[in-house]
Amino acid sequence: MSAAFNLPSDPGRIEQLETTIAAEVHRIDDLQRENDRLEHRNADLAEQLVAAETQRDKTRDLLEVKERQALAHADENATLKRELDDALKENARVKADLTRCLRLLGQGLDLADTWRGTCEWAEAVHTALTHLPEDTK
């Protein structure tokens, strides 16, 4: 059987090759250990990445819920604002009606005062206007 590669006949050269081979084997072992360490580090980083992505997804879901709640609250606030505006308009209308009624009541009282004592009807109107029933509510 012939060797695939010719061995040197010089003993110094053989020793040098043995040293080189031993150094290369040692370097290969070091590289294998470094590779193992990096594979473990990659596995740890992959776990951290999965955890970070899970947390990101949970945070995104929570943010979406909060955004929906904010939109719902904004809608509710807009509805309440419209209802308040409507109530204020109604209050202004009622106040205007009340002012008109009070003005008419005053005019009626003035008229009843003017005609008081001249006829039974004017006396009854004056009495009715000056003795209005109290609000029982």
Side-chain angles (χ1 to χ4, degrees):
M1 168 170 160
S2 77
F5 132 99
N6 294 330
L7 290 176
S9 57
D10 178 18
R13 178 74 178 132
I14 292 173
E15 189 177 311
Q16 181 185 13
L17 286 173
E18 287 174 345
T19 302
T20 301
I21 290 170
E24 288 300 316
V25 167
H26 182 70
R27 185 168 177 260
I28 289 170
D29 289 344
D30 287 346
L31 289 173
Q32 186 61 46
R33 281 190 295 278
E34 179 65 10
N35 186 53
D36 291 346
R37 186 190 69 77
L38 290 174
E39 284 179 356
H40 282 65
R41 177 70 178 143
N42 283 343
D44 289 344
L45 290 173
E47 287 177 13
Q48 290 175 12
L49 177 61
V50 168
E53 288 173 341
T54 300
Q55 185 60 41
R56 179 201 62 207
D57 293 344
K58 287 179 182 178
T59 301
R60 183 183 303 135
D61 292 345
L62 181 60
L63 179 60
E64 289 173 1
V65 167
K66 294 298 181 183
E67 286 173 344
R68 283 192 301 274
Q69 288 175 343
L71 289 173
H73 288 140
D75 288 345
E76 183 180 347
N77 287 345
T79 299
L80 291 172
K81 171 92 170 75
R82 282 190 302 275
E83 290 174 359
L84 175 62
D85 290 345
D86 291 346
L88 289 173
K89 286 176 189 174
E90 178 65 15
N91 187 39
R93 188 192 62 75
V94 168
K95 188 175 179 180
D97 289 348
L98 180 59
T99 300
R100 207 170 19 262
C101 288
L102 288 174
R103 189 180 72 248
L104 290 172
L105 179 63
Q107 290 172 352
L109 189 55
D110 288 346
L111 185 58
D113 273 343
T114 302
W115 290 94
R116 189 174 177 198
T118 61
C119 66
E120 190 175 311
W121 172 85
E123 191 65 40
V125 168
H126 184 273
T127 301
L129 291 176
T130 57
H131 296 90
L132 292 174
E134 293 293 321
D135 188 4
T136 57
K137 291 181 185 178

